[in-house]
Amino acid sequence: MLLKCGKTIYIRLYKQKEADMKKDEQKEQFIETFLTKKPAFDPDEIDVSAAERKILKQIEVAHPLRRFMTYFQRVAAILIVPLIIFSAYLIIGDTDASENNVYQEITVPCGMISQINLPDGSKVWLNGGSMLKYPLRFGNRGRNVLLNGEGYFEVQSDIKNPFIVQTGQLHLTATGTDFNIEAYPADSFTYVTMVNGKIDIAFNHAKPVAMKAGERISYNSRTGKSEMMATDTYKWYAWKDGLMIFRDDPLSYVFKRLARTFNADIHIKNPEIASDIYRATFEDESLDEILRLLEKTAPIRFVRHKREMNGNNQYMKKQIDVYKRNE
């Protein structure tokens, strides 16, 4: 029984091994046949773009919703750029609508001079303690600017679009001209000096008055009266070139000009000094240098007070008193 059983097991193992060998032989034949018909591929011959297009096409066919979303994204991308441009245009604003325009405001500290180039090519020089407000883009209804203080204007010619300057008391209209305006809010007087061309000015909404080259007009806001006179125009705008020119001017005007230019308070202690006539030209001198020159050429003397700090820990204006030399 044992021999028969052992023989039977042996025969079965032999037949199983023979079957496995046959399967291995068939497997090798199959691999050989496959490799013969499908040789190894070259990675450089793979067309990735073509494969991507094929896959995307299959996705579109299989997913109509995804195809719609892809189309929608493309349309949105096309529309978004014009939409951004249009929105920016609305923000900047139509130049004809002042409420949509963007304005620039320039303020010049006392003792300094600044030159500004406007959008139309016009130029403005601002004296110390002055402010100019203007749009970044002029419209088709005029070139409007706002001035507080003193400014010299060289206006580019454009008859269809007049250049308009407004101050607290003045409305000035020009096309292509050169002129100087003194309109400090703290002063009761406003001055306009006409250098080239012609302009129309109206004080406090009154009837416009025409001005031509070589004329200077003053307006007193307290009395409502104005006065026109012929003048040497360069004297009134030489400040833009760093000069201070006084020609037979009372010392009261000289000290007023110095006080504004150098941000100081100058007090005349003797009224007789105020009416004394003075002639001089100063170029780039400091306030102390000018005061020393005045003491040498006029019968006056100065007392300078120590500068004090205010509640904001900032120095207050220089305080200078003017006396007769023998006082």
Side-chain angles (χ1 to χ4, degrees), residues 89 92-98 100-101 135-142:
Y89 175 80
I92 295 175
D94 186 352
T95 54
D96 292 338
S98 60
N100 290 330
N101 214 333
L136 296 182
R137 185 178 178 185
F138 286 127
N140 297 322
R141 298 180 182 177

Side-chain angles (χ1 to χ4, degrees), residues 176-196:
T177 53
D178 301 343
F179 52 88
N180 191 81
I181 299 178
E182 302 167 56
Y184 287 92
D187 287 353
S188 58
F189 280 89
T190 298
Y191 301 92
V192 178
T193 304
M194 193 63 212
V195 180
N196 292 309

Side-chain angles (χ1 to χ4, degrees), residues 146-286:
L146 177 65
L147 172 69
N148 284 330
E150 184 171 16
Y152 179 78
F153 293 79
E154 290 184 357
V155 178
Q156 286 290 323
S157 179
D158 188 349
I159 298 176
K160 294 182 179 180
N161 297 304
F163 192 94
I164 299 173
V165 182
Q166 290 180 294
T167 72
Q169 303 292 335
L170 171 69
H171 185 280
L172 183 151
T173 304
T175 53
T177 53
D178 301 343
F179 52 88
N180 191 81
I181 299 178
E182 302 167 56
Y184 287 92
D187 287 353
S188 58
F189 280 89
T190 298
Y191 301 92
V192 178
T193 304
M194 193 63 212
V195 180
N196 292 309
K198 61 180 181 178
I199 58 176
D200 292 327
I201 59 175
F203 291 106
N204 204 17
H205 306 291
K207 184 179 179 180
V209 177
M211 287 188 68
K212 59 184 180 181
E215 293 182 336
R216 176 178 169 85
I217 192 171
S218 63
Y219 174 76
N220 188 337
S221 61
R222 293 179 180 176
T223 63
K225 295 182 179 180
S226 60
E227 181 180 358
M228 186 92 70
M229 64 178 182
T231 186
D232 175 13
T233 58
Y234 185 66
K235 167 187 173 179
W236 304 107
Y237 70 90
W239 57 266
K240 81 178 186 65
D241 299 325
L243 300 174
M244 297 183 69
I245 299 177
F246 301 106
R247 295 291 181 266
D248 298 328
D249 293 309
L251 281 178
S252 59
Y253 173 76
V254 174
F255 292 136
K256 179 180 179 180
R257 194 76 179 181
L258 292 174
R260 175 172 294 140
T261 300
F262 295 100
N263 194 29
D265 286 333
I266 303 178
H267 305 280
I268 300 177
K269 294 300 183 178
N270 191 323
E272 296 179 4
I273 301 174
S275 58
D276 289 347
I277 301 302
Y278 193 78
R279 290 176 61 90
T281 298
F282 301 108
E283 182 177 5
D284 297 330
E285 282 90 356
S286 66

